[in-house]
Amino acid sequence: MGIIMFNGASSKDYGIEVEHPPKYNYPERDYTIVHVPGRNGDLVLDSESYQNVERVYELAIGEYHGDFTVLANRLSTWLHSARTYARLEDSYEPEYYRMALYQEGTSIENFFHQGGRVEVTFNCKPQRFLKEGEKAVSISKGDIWVNPTNQVAKPLIKITGSSGTFTIGDRTVTLNAINEYIMLDSELEHAYKGLTNCNANISALYFPVLNTGANTITWTGNITAVEIIPRWWTL
C-alpha cells in the first residue's frame, strides 16, 4: 500500500491508501509535422516542450465513523482543494514531486458502507522535479556547477549587491541600480524584489539557465552574494 500527498495533505489523513503502484507515462514531445508538396520528407517544427501527462492512482478507502457519505465528501473536497496546479508526491518516487491538478468527476464503489474503491487521475505537468533541486545553494564566483539531469533547468537566482554583470555559461544579465538584492526567475523570465517588478533594472538577451553538464558561474561589479535554487527536473 502506498501514500500520496496532494496540495499539502496526505492520503493517510483521509483513511486512503494506494492499492497498486501507478503506471509511469512518458510525456509526448510537442511538435508539428508539416508536409510541403514537392519536397521529400516532412518538416518537423519542434516547440522544444512537452505535453502534460496523466498520473492514475487506484485508491482504497476505509469507512469514516460509519458514514460512507461523509467519507466521499471528504475525498472530493481534498481532490478539488486546488484551483490550479498543486504539488503532488507519492511514496513510489520519494525523491521527486510533480505539479498536478485534479479536474475530473468520479464515482466511488461503496462496499456495504464499510469502505470503498476509486480510481483518480491527476493531470500533471511533464516535469518530475527533484526535491534536491529545491534547496537554495550559496555560490562563489567562478564555481562550476554540474546539472545532474538531461534537461535544461531554469533556476531561481537571488543576487545581492547594487550593480554588475551575472553570467552562467554563455548567458549574461546586466544589473543596474539594484536596491539590496534582486530575484531572477528564469522560468517566468521575471525580475523582482518582493512584490516590486524589477525588470527595468536588468538587461539581457536571455535569462540564465543551467544546461546539461558543467556550468561556469561568474560575475563582475558590485555583487556581494549569489544564491541559486536550481530546479532540477527530468521526464
Side-chain angles (χ1 to χ4, degrees):
M1 294 289 188
I3 298 170
I4 60 177
M5 177 82 72
F6 178 62
N7 198 27
S10 169
S11 56
K12 289 182 64 177
D13 300 334
Y14 296 86
I16 299 169
E17 291 185 327
V18 184
E19 289 193 299
H20 308 288
K23 294 180 180 179
Y24 179 73
N25 294 325
Y26 289 95
E28 179 181 346
R29 193 169 183 90
D30 189 7
Y31 61 84
T32 302
I33 302 295
V34 178
H35 177 68
V36 179
R39 178 189 177 102
N40 291 322
D42 294 335
L43 296 180
V44 178
L45 305 179
D46 190 351
S47 67
E48 298 184 357
S49 62
Y50 297 88
Q51 298 183 11
N52 277 14
V53 296
E54 291 185 343
R55 187 77 164 167
V56 182
Y57 296 96
E58 296 179 12
L59 306 182
I61 308 167
E63 62 88 17
Y64 182 75
H65 297 329
D67 193 327
F68 183 81
T69 302
V70 173
L71 180 150
N73 286 338
R74 281 165 53 86
L75 173 61
S76 177
T77 299
W78 174 47
L79 293 176
H80 291 286
S81 61
R83 296 182 179 273
T84 183
Y85 289 100
R87 188 179 178 115
L88 174 67
E89 305 173 51
D90 61 44
S91 56
Y92 301 104
E93 295 182 329
E95 68 273 27
Y96 297 99
Y97 72 93
R98 299 171 184 264
M99 297 305 296
L101 57 87
Y102 181 81
Q103 60 187 127
E104 297 183 346
T106 190
S107 60
I108 305 173
E109 292 184 72
N110 184 344
F111 298 129
F112 307 103
H113 288 273
Q114 300 302 307
R117 179 177 288 121
V118 61
E119 182 178 275
V120 298
T121 301
F122 290 95
N123 185 353
C124 304
K125 290 187 177 182
Q127 302 102 316
R128 290 189 303 149
F129 292 97
L130 279 69
K131 293 180 182 179
E132 184 68 24
E134 296 182 280
K135 300 176 182 178
V137 179
S138 295
I139 302 297
S140 298
K141 183 164 63 174
D143 277 356
I144 298 176
W145 213 2
V146 177
N147 182 342
T149 77
N150 60 351
Q151 303 293 337
V152 176
K154 297 181 178 180
L156 178 63
I157 305 166
K158 180 180 180 180
I159 300 175
T160 302
S162 59
S163 62
T165 64
F166 176 78
T167 302
I168 300 180
D170 60 356
R171 294 192 176 195
T172 297
V173 178
T174 301
L175 312 171
N176 299 295
I178 302 305
N179 180 16
E180 187 182 356
Y181 74 90
I182 192 171
M183 306 296 297
L184 301 180
D185 190 327
S186 295
E187 177 70 32
L188 300 178
E189 296 189 345
H190 179 51
Y192 63 92
K193 178 187 177 185
L195 299 178
T196 303
N197 186 320
C198 297
N199 289 307
N201 298 96
I202 69 168
S203 176
L205 289 177
Y206 305 100
F207 273 69
V209 297
L210 294 163
N211 288 305
T212 297
N215 296 267
T216 301
I217 303 172
T218 188
W219 56 83
T220 65
N222 298 315
I223 294 175
T224 58
V226 173
E227 285 188 351
I228 299 179
I229 298 175
R231 294 171 169 166
W232 308 128
W233 67 277
T234 188
L235 295 176

